[in-house]
Amino acid sequence: MKVHYAMPLRNMTADALIYMKEYSETVKRNKQSEPLQNDAEFLSGLRREDRLHAVVTICVYYGETAWDGPYSLLDMLDMQHIPKQLRSFVNDYKINLIQIHGSEEYRSKIQMSRIFLRLCETSTAEIIVKLKKYIKPVKSARSLDSPLVRHPNPPYL
């Protein structure tokens, strides 16, 4: 497996498409049920109490070399020409990266498939517990008790 240098953009796009699909389905359902209450609900197609389901995307990297790609959308952007006063206004999108590099036991694709089949049989709350059991922490992560990797020192702040 190779590093995908556009992974934050790829994950952001996939998540946005999932949210848009659910949004469209909710709007369609609302149009078929009772009339929307006011102009704001009519404009968006959503009722005030409508909520979308959260999307959690986890990128599992099991390449032979350590991940050297971006950890967030800001890592992909050329921020040197953006004034420091405006940098906090640039939206970011972080990836949830699990890096298997250095873990011989779980390197094979077959073993990874088995692990994720087991994870699919569990509740969302139990997934993090099982991931911690199967994946060794990455030394470059900010918190060594978590397998999720974030950029240790973002160059854009």
Side-chain angles (χ1 to χ4, degrees):
M1 175 181 238
K2 303 289 183 196
V3 172
H4 192 299
Y5 292 113
M7 190 55 74
L9 185 59
R10 182 178 175 184
N11 284 1
M12 181 181 71
T13 302
D15 290 354
L17 290 171
I18 293 168
Y19 283 124
M20 286 303 298
K21 182 176 187 275
E22 185 177 5
Y23 165 73
S24 297
E25 291 168 352
T26 304
V27 168
K28 183 178 179 181
R29 188 174 53 250
N30 284 344
K31 285 182 179 179
Q32 295 171 348
S33 63
E34 296 179 29
L36 298 171
Q37 299 297 313
N38 55 47
D39 291 343
E41 288 186 352
F42 180 79
L43 180 64
S44 65
L46 294 177
R47 299 182 190 288
R48 183 181 192 134
E49 64 275 2
D50 285 338
R51 296 292 179 267
L52 302 178
H53 294 93
V55 175
V56 177
T57 302
I58 300 173
C59 174
V60 179
Y61 175 67
Y62 51 91
E64 293 183 15
T65 60
W67 178 269
D68 67 348
Y71 294 88
S72 71
L73 183 61
L74 288 178
D75 288 346
M76 296 177 61
L77 302 179
D78 180 4
M79 298 292 285
Q80 66 185 9
H81 301 295
I82 304 293
K84 289 188 183 214
Q85 310 88 294
L86 297 179
R87 290 181 185 179
S88 64
F89 294 101
V90 178
N91 288 326
D92 196 9
Y93 197 86
K94 295 174 173 63
I95 64 171
N96 297 308
L97 176 69
I98 298 174
Q99 181 167 238
I100 311 296
H101 177 70
S103 177
E104 297 298 325
E105 184 179 357
Y106 301 109
R107 183 166 282 218
S108 77
K109 292 180 184 179
I110 295 171
Q111 183 65 20
M112 285 304 300
S113 299
R114 289 181 185 147
I115 291 169
F116 279 95
L117 284 174
R118 283 188 229 139
L119 288 174
C120 290
E121 296 170 355
T122 64
S123 70
T124 305
E126 294 173 313
I127 287 177
I128 299 301
V129 173
K130 289 199 176 206
L131 284 175
K132 285 184 178 183
K133 176 182 172 186
Y134 290 118
I135 310 301
K136 294 178 182 177
V138 178
K139 291 180 184 176
S140 65
R142 285 185 183 177
S143 172
L144 291 179
D145 65 343
S146 171
L148 299 180
V149 178
R150 297 275 189 222
H151 196 290
N153 297 307
Y156 41 80
L157 295 179

